[in-house]
Amino acid sequence: MLQYDLRPGTAPQAPRSRSRDAVLAELSPVLFSSLQRSDQCRKGMHYVRGLLKAQGRKSIRNLAALFGDEVSEQNLHHFISGSTWDWVPIRRALAQHLTGVTPPQAWVVRPMIIPKSGQHSVGVDKRFVPALGQVLNAQRAIGVWAASEEASVPINWRLHLPNAWLKDDLRRSRVSIPEGVHAEDLSECVVRARAEIATDWELPGLPTVFDTCEADPVTIFGRLAARGAPLLVRIGCDQRLAVTDTVLPASGGKLLSAFQIMSQVKDMRRPVIWRRPDAEPAQRTYLAAAVDVALPSESAPTGAGDGLRLLGVGEENRPWPTSVWLTNMTTVSPASLVRLSRLPDMVDRDFEEISDRVGIRDFTGRSFGGWHRHVTLASAAHAVVALADRAG
């Protein structure tokens, strides 16, 4: 059964501000409970504290320098790149802790591009980045975020590995890519990143919100819908759909573009007020209209093509619509769906203001495991900042 946690757009009550040290002290016993040795727990604490306090690039050398003789660069490097501790239990513990202290409204899926100057870091390749309109030498990862109107925190990561890395035994060996890691397209990478937290993490069955132009949204929608996930996925205005709503009987079930459908229901738009006391302006008015639709049979996986709704979202004094979204949450009001559609913007902002500042893209090592351990602890550092400072 689908579960929804959709809150009204009233202003959230700000909790009392706390210091980052206090939040980290509270979080650490939960976060590092899976580590077997006390020295690993200490190094984990040092690493997260270093990400929070080091100036400039968060290299292992800069992190170790904060603690003088207490922590050596070699030991910290081994803890991240050469150790065997599993990052998955730490991510799961972080996610479970967040659902208790700042319950998310949705899981937001977001890509992360990590520019690189060399060719030896795991997964690095020449990639066209649509958001930037250029080709970069970079790593690409998919993040899953616990997001609400109060805070957003990354809880899971999946590194997208090109075939050139996976088919080259020497390259795989040099960066220690596990044998069980196989080739996947970007859409599959997105689906698996989301599916990983749905298996045994014991998290709420919240909606998944996806807004990016880097992967095929309909393919992702179909694969996740087939798994029973409640979804809100941004699609292109040229996506063709069949109207099943009785408000548009003249369509006769023929395929129309999302733009054509939204143009026909322009008079059905209703205002949605979105309030955010920490945003500028603190209140914005959006326009929304929703129509029942179905995916074309040739592009709809079994059980995923019917019983859908197309949501159009617009802003006053701008061409209609500014975005269109596909959802299988047909019993949820358009106003609640609009508020969910705003969460990716919050994630983008928090990525820039928190994740980048705690060095989530600063890992200078080359190994697969090292990359995952670094982004896991950087996600923990992000959580500390978000919990301590967001409402302060």
Side-chain angles (χ1 to χ4, degrees):
M1 179 179 296
L2 303 184
Q3 303 175 46
Y4 306 131
D5 182 8
L6 303 173
R7 306 173 188 183
T10 54
Q13 296 297 312
R16 289 179 298 174
S17 174
R18 293 187 297 162
S19 73
R20 296 179 183 181
D21 286 341
V23 173
L24 180 57
E26 177 184 287
L27 180 61
S28 293
V30 175
L31 200 64
F32 300 123
S33 61
S34 63
L35 298 182
Q36 299 299 312
R37 304 197 313 266
S38 59
D39 65 306
Q40 290 180 320
C41 296
R42 287 195 300 272
K43 290 172 185 175
M45 280 281 289
H46 282 129
Y47 200 86
V48 175
R49 188 175 289 118
L51 292 172
L52 292 168
K53 296 186 176 182
Q55 298 298 311
R57 187 173 181 83
K58 304 304 195 308
S59 66
I60 290 178
R61 174 175 294 181
N62 287 343
L63 269 55
L66 284 175
F67 304 102
D69 295 337
E70 188 177 355
V71 179
S72 74
E73 179 184 349
Q74 181 179 359
N75 286 342
L76 204 59
H77 173 80
H78 181 267
F79 173 70
I80 295 296
S81 296
S83 188
T84 59
W85 58 267
D86 188 355
W87 53 84
V88 175
I90 292 180
R91 294 180 185 180
R92 181 171 60 238
L94 175 62
Q96 291 172 342
H97 180 76
L98 290 169
T99 60
V101 299
T102 177
Q105 294 166 257
W107 312 119
V108 174
V109 180
R110 181 194 190 278
M112 176 171 69
I113 299 295
I114 309 171
K116 291 288 183 178
S117 57
Q119 299 293 326
H120 302 295
S121 296
V122 59
V124 71
D125 196 15
K126 296 288 185 181
R127 305 175 185 271
F128 176 71
V129 183
L132 301 176
Q134 59 181 300
V135 175
L136 293 180
N137 189 62
Q139 295 167 312
R140 177 164 57 190
I142 299 298
V144 180
W145 293 60
S148 72
E149 293 179 354
E150 299 175 28
S152 62
V153 177
I155 59 170
N156 195 33
W157 293 98
R158 192 172 183 89
L159 188 63
H160 182 241
L161 298 174
N163 285 334
W165 278 91
L166 296 173
K167 293 181 179 180
D168 188 326
D169 292 340
L170 181 59
R171 294 182 88 185
R172 287 188 72 127
S173 175
R174 284 175 174 170
V175 297
S176 303
I177 298 175
E179 291 184 5
V181 176
H182 303 295
E184 58 190 19
D185 60 29
L186 186 57
S187 296
E188 190 174 4
C189 186
V190 170
V191 171
R192 290 187 177 182
R194 171 61 184 91
E196 284 170 352
I197 74 168
T199 51
D200 60 352
W201 284 30
E202 299 179 355
L203 300 177
L206 302 174
T208 297
V209 182
F210 180 71
D211 174 13
T212 181
C213 57
E214 292 192 47
D216 178 24
V218 172
T219 298
I220 291 168
F221 187 96
R223 290 176 178 176
L224 287 174
R227 294 171 177 260
L231 300 166
L232 181 64
V233 175
R234 186 172 179 174
I235 61 174
C237 283
D238 58 349
Q239 175 62 48
R240 296 176 69 77
L241 301 162
V243 177
T244 60
D245 204 312
T246 56
V247 300
L248 291 177
S251 63
K254 65 181 180 181
L255 296 180
L256 300 173
S257 71
F259 178 80
Q260 289 174 315
I261 296 171
M262 281 297 120
S263 296
Q264 292 186 28
V265 298
K266 189 174 182 178
D267 292 339
M268 294 172 49
R269 296 175 300 173
R270 297 293 182 269
V272 177
I273 297 175
W274 187 65
R275 298 183 179 93
R276 281 286 313 285
D278 59 341
E280 185 63 39
Q283 177 175 304
R284 299 184 68 174
T285 300
Y286 293 92
L287 300 172
V291 181
D292 293 334
V293 297
L295 286 169
S297 57
E298 66 272 13
S299 62
T302 302
D306 299 324
L308 308 179
R309 181 161 291 178
L310 180 67
L311 174 74
V313 180
E315 299 181 48
E316 295 177 329
N317 302 318
R318 291 189 61 185
W320 166 261
T322 54
S323 62
V324 286
W325 302 74
L326 192 65
T327 184
N328 56 2
M329 297 181 286
T330 56
T331 62
V332 177
S333 71
S336 293
L337 293 174
V338 169
R339 293 180 184 115
L340 286 177
S341 75
R342 298 300 90 205
L343 295 180
D345 291 340
M346 288 195 57
V347 168
D348 287 346
R349 185 197 65 180
D350 286 352
F351 178 85
E352 180 180 345
E353 295 184 359
I354 303 178
S355 284
D356 256 348
R357 294 183 183 181
V358 299
I360 203 160
R361 297 194 286 183
D362 284 359
F363 181 60
T364 56
R366 298 177 178 179
S367 72
F368 179 88
W371 183 89
H372 275 283
R373 294 185 186 96
H374 170 81
V375 296
T376 298
L377 298 184
S379 297
H382 177 117
V384 170
V385 176
L387 294 175
D389 295 354
R390 179 56 64 203

